[in-house]
Amino acid sequence: MKAIFYCPNSERPWMAREIRRIERDVLRMGALVEQSFRLSHQALFARNLTAAQKLPLLDKKIDHFYRQIESDCTAIMTHGTDGKDLRCLSAFMQLVRDLERIGDYAKDIAEIAIKIFPYPPHHSLPEIATMSHHAQAMLATSLVALADLDEVSGRSIKRLDDAVDNAYEKLYQTLAHERDVQGVVEPILLLGLAIRCLERMGDHATNIGQRVAYIVTGQR
């Protein structure tokens, strides 16, 4: 993923350098979040417990980036910023929170994968896997929009979110109204939690796209 092309309004070169450094850290954090999403997908749908076990350490790295970027943005703001500098920094602080939450949900899905492993695969898993692919595509699109500062791509993610929301509603109804359940209902409850995680991950990817548009245009 290439670095963001940033044209600072500030005449202070040191501030421009610092903002570019934060941009690179945001993209590195985004790459880690994409990796965590892929691993959670492998854990749940390929029943890959080795992938699931990698998530806690990866989540700690994501959290470290989140705290560091937030701290760096705050430190720069104390020196006084205006115009696009301030817009970038405030948007970065918001979107890294979205990235951090996606990472948390990926870790949650990995934990679900471990708990559901002893049970036979549920018939809804292929549909849930498709929902996961859609949400991962949304995250990838949002990060490309961020790297390119592409307002159009950033706003387009809202339309992509419709597929994830529709899948959530359909799968929720399927799981909630399942009849003649053999044995315990824990697998159904766990899958209900999984689709909720995926739905929220799509929402946060949408937020990132909207924050990219704000950086470019100044309009929310």
Side-chain angles (χ1 to χ4, degrees), residues 2-215:
K2 65 183 181 180
I4 298 172
F5 178 73
Y6 171 67
C7 296
N9 291 330
S10 173
E11 296 180 356
R12 289 174 285 185
W14 69 267
M15 184 175 290
R17 288 194 298 270
E18 286 299 296
I19 292 177
R20 289 193 182 99
R21 180 180 61 80
I22 293 173
E23 291 169 345
R24 290 192 293 270
D25 284 345
V26 172
L27 292 175
R28 291 189 184 103
M29 180 182 178
L32 290 176
V33 173
E34 281 194 293
Q35 183 183 357
S36 70
F37 204 157
R38 287 194 298 271
L39 287 171
S40 70
H41 184 98
Q42 293 170 16
L44 184 57
F45 303 108
R47 299 169 71 83
N48 185 341
L49 296 190
T50 300
Q53 292 164 356
K54 294 178 181 178
L55 265 293
L57 178 59
L58 195 54
D59 188 60
K60 288 182 180 180
K61 293 180 181 179
I62 292 168
D63 288 345
H64 174 76
F65 266 112
Y66 169 59
R67 291 189 297 269
Q68 186 62 55
I69 292 168
E70 189 174 63
S71 175
D72 289 346
C73 288
T74 301
I76 293 177
M77 286 178 174
T78 62
H79 292 281
T81 54
D82 55 21
K84 192 173 182 179
D85 291 336
L86 180 59
R87 206 158 72 221
C88 281
L89 292 170
S90 61
F92 289 162
M93 292 178 72
Q94 292 174 321
L95 71 82
V96 293
R97 177 58 178 165
D98 289 309
L99 286 171
E100 190 269 341
R101 291 300 298 140
I102 293 173
D104 284 345
Y105 285 123
K107 187 177 69 170
D108 290 344
I109 290 174
E111 292 172 355
I112 289 169
I114 292 171
K115 291 179 180 178
I116 208 171
F117 183 81
Y119 299 103
H122 192 271
H123 62 82
S124 291
L125 276 176
E127 287 185 76
I128 300 175
T130 299
M131 181 184 179
S132 176
H133 282 305
H134 283 310
Q136 287 180 71
M138 290 176 65
L139 174 60
T141 302
S142 73
L143 291 174
V144 171
L146 176 61
D148 295 340
L149 280 186
D150 186 342
E151 173 202 356
V152 175
S153 292
R155 294 194 186 280
S156 73
I157 299 168
K158 180 63 177 174
R159 295 193 298 273
L160 300 176
D161 192 41
D162 290 342
V164 173
D165 288 343
N166 291 338
Y168 172 77
E169 291 297 332
K170 180 181 177 183
L171 285 161
Y172 179 87
Q173 293 300 322
T174 297
L175 295 171
H177 296 93
E178 188 158 331
R179 300 178 182 275
D180 302 323
V181 177
Q182 300 295 321
V184 297
V185 298
E186 184 180 27
I188 296 174
L189 295 176
L190 290 171
L191 290 178
L193 292 173
I195 62 172
R196 179 57 176 165
C197 288
L198 292 169
E199 190 270 338
R200 293 299 295 139
M201 291 161 102
D203 287 344
H204 285 292
T206 301
N207 289 346
I208 294 170
Q210 292 175 336
R211 301 193 201 291
V212 170
Y214 171 67
I215 292 172

